[in-house]
Amino acid sequence: MSAKSFSTVTVATVLIFFLKIQLSRQAPLNGSKWSYIGPDGEKAWPKKYPFCGGVFQSPINFHKDILQYDSNLLPLEFIGYNVPSTDQFTLINNGHSVKMFLSPAMSIRNLPFEYTASQLHLHWGNQNHSKGSEHTISGKHFAAELHIVHYNSEKYPDIAAAMDKADGLAVLAVLLEIGPFNPSYEKIFRHFQNVKYKDQKVLVPGFNIQELLPDRLDEYYRYEGSLTTPPCYPSVLWTVFRYPAKISQEQLLALETAMYCTESDDPEPLEMVDNFRNVQEELYECFCAKKQCRVICVNVKNWKGSSAALYHYKNTAFSFSCTSLCCLFFSCCICAWATVQE
Ligand SMILES: [Zn+2]
């Protein structure tokens, strides 16, 4: 073994050791509280959830300096998305968002693994400031954002096992903007009055979930990032569709005003508004010092090489765990060094 390969193995061993310690120190998924405002707001997340202060954090702003065309990216294929109305989804207010559990018969293909659907949920702003998307394009916020969460069912038995693994999750993100009334979104939105308060649930008849996606599915941004809520595991392969879907002003208002983060008997009800995480520019830029370290790829028809489109961010499994660790225990500079060494 050469000196160089020995040092690489040593560095990797030490980093994996620290990563294991870090994972074991993670706060439990339930039991620790977090929020979007107040003392438990996003600035405080890293105290209880160290990955939230780490690398590969989402959401991000897609801007032309970090985007790169990738002709290898294919449009996704949606399997079992057309769920019959005889099946039912459970819609729940979990105190952070409104979430709908999906059928395990739903999956997506044309990613490195097959990913099975788990749930969808939304992020939004408030009625005075309808800028509630998490991802932004050239600095522009959209009104809201839908996330459809899938887990790697080729490698892991369920989402709990997958969610802290580098290749564990794939999330589809649909940006929402104001347009005509959207009857497909209404199949969820019409039930909001039954999930006004935390822990309330209601059954929603099955429908074709693909109706929630934008018309153009062939153009999207692709990158490796994280959960946008604690524990912020850097385990998500993101597909953010370039074109937004549209819902009406009234539908957006219903989303922004219908629900509370608190239970029905709470003496201090807290409106469920502004439940989006801000873009993770600083940590992102830190790693972007070396452009090749974080590049997002695009695949669009009529690509001219300058405008944003369908983007893909590549990194190896090694640099993933390495960089995650580095920002947890050392500094981003050391992290960048280790990645470059590898
Ligand atoms: Zn989300």
Side-chain angles (χ1 to χ4, degrees):
M1 183 182 284
S2 70
K4 189 185 172 202
S5 60
F6 176 76
S7 70
T8 303
V9 169
T10 306
V11 168
T13 307
V14 169
L15 290 175
I16 288 164
F17 173 73
F18 279 116
L19 182 60
K20 283 185 174 165
I21 291 176
Q22 188 56 43
L23 284 170
S24 69
R25 282 181 182 170
Q26 278 288 317
L29 296 184
N30 300 309
S32 264
K33 62 175 184 167
W34 59 270
S35 65
Y36 289 97
I37 53 159
D40 299 316
E42 64 178 289
K43 283 204 170 62
W45 293 357
K47 281 185 247 162
K48 287 180 187 165
Y49 305 96
F51 281 107
C52 299
V55 290
F56 299 117
Q57 290 298 292
S58 296
I60 61 170
N61 174 38
F62 300 110
H63 59 98
K64 64 179 172 52
D65 294 347
I66 59 167
L67 302 176
Q68 183 176 301
Y69 176 59
D70 184 347
S71 61
N72 295 318
L73 293 178
L74 299 169
L76 293 174
E77 279 181 32
F78 303 93
I79 314 296
Y81 261 52
N82 193 359
V83 178
S85 58
T86 46
D87 290 3
Q88 291 181 308
F89 304 117
T90 298
L91 186 71
I92 181 171
N93 175 334
N94 68 1
H96 303 296
S97 181
V98 58
K99 174 158 96 171
M100 192 168 86
F101 293 99
L102 297 172
S103 161
M106 291 172 55
S107 62
I108 42 176
R109 289 199 191 133
N110 277 348
L111 290 173
F113 300 95
E114 182 161 316
Y115 289 82
T116 295
S118 172
Q119 46 101 347
L120 63 75
H121 61 268
L122 292 124
H123 301 270
W124 59 89
N126 69 70
Q127 60 178 318
N128 299 315
H129 192 70
S130 295
K131 300 284 179 193
S133 72
E134 297 208 300
H135 290 93
T136 58
I137 299 179
S138 300
K140 182 193 169 196
H141 267 281
F142 290 76
E145 187 167 329
L146 170 76
H147 289 161
I148 310 180
V149 180
H150 303 71
Y151 71 94
N152 180 341
S153 48
E154 272 187 49
K155 288 184 70 172
Y156 308 108
D158 52 44
I159 192 163
M163 70 186 302
D164 63 350
K165 307 301 188 301
D167 54 3
L169 303 179
V171 181
L172 310 182
V174 180
L175 301 163
L176 297 178
E177 67 177 14
I178 292 172
F181 175 81
N182 189 319
S184 301
Y185 276 82
E186 194 63 17
K187 291 172 187 175
I188 299 173
F189 287 17
R190 72 161 66 110
H191 300 279
F192 284 165
Q193 292 307 315
N194 300 111
V195 290
K196 278 189 94 60
Y197 298 102
K198 184 171 183 282
D199 297 332
Q200 289 185 333
K201 295 176 190 172
V202 66
L203 292 175
V204 175
F207 63 98
N208 189 352
I209 299 296
Q210 200 168 336
E211 293 171 5
L212 302 174
L213 305 179
D215 295 336
R216 288 283 300 270
L217 298 173
D218 57 331
E219 300 194 3
Y220 56 81
Y221 305 89
R222 167 74 44 77
Y223 77 103
E224 289 176 23
S226 74
L227 301 175
T228 64
T229 56
C232 306
Y233 292 133
S235 58
V236 179
L237 184 59
W238 282 94
T239 300
V240 181
F241 292 105
R242 182 186 186 188
Y243 294 103
K246 291 178 178 162
I247 59 173
S248 70
Q249 179 80 61
E250 291 71 27
Q251 288 178 302
L252 180 63
L253 187 63
L255 179 64
E256 291 166 343
T257 58
M259 286 161 289
Y260 291 83
C261 299
T262 42
E263 292 174 12
S264 58
D265 58 353
D266 196 307
E268 294 178 21
L270 181 64
E271 290 180 328
M272 191 178 280
V273 292
D274 298 323
N275 60 354
F276 62 93
R277 188 187 197 190
N278 288 297
V279 293
Q280 302 296 294
E281 208 76 66
E282 278 171 50
L283 288 168
Y284 180 73
E285 292 299 332
C286 158
F287 278 90
C288 260
K290 297 267 177 202
K291 278 273 168 63
Q292 70 274 25
C293 177
R294 182 146 184 150
V295 174
I296 297 177
C297 301
V298 216
N299 190 359
V300 273
K301 286 168 187 160
N302 304 317
W303 168 253
K304 294 188 179 70
S306 57
S307 62
L310 208 152
Y311 292 81
H312 181 74
Y313 158 61
K314 264 187 189 307
N315 67 309
T316 66
F318 176 83
S319 65
F320 174 87
S321 52
C322 161
T323 48
S324 302
L325 262 173
C326 282
C327 268
L328 288 169
F329 291 98
F330 308 109
S331 71
C332 288
C333 299
I334 295 173
C335 173
W337 173 82
T339 305
V340 172
Q341 290 300 301
E342 173 62 13

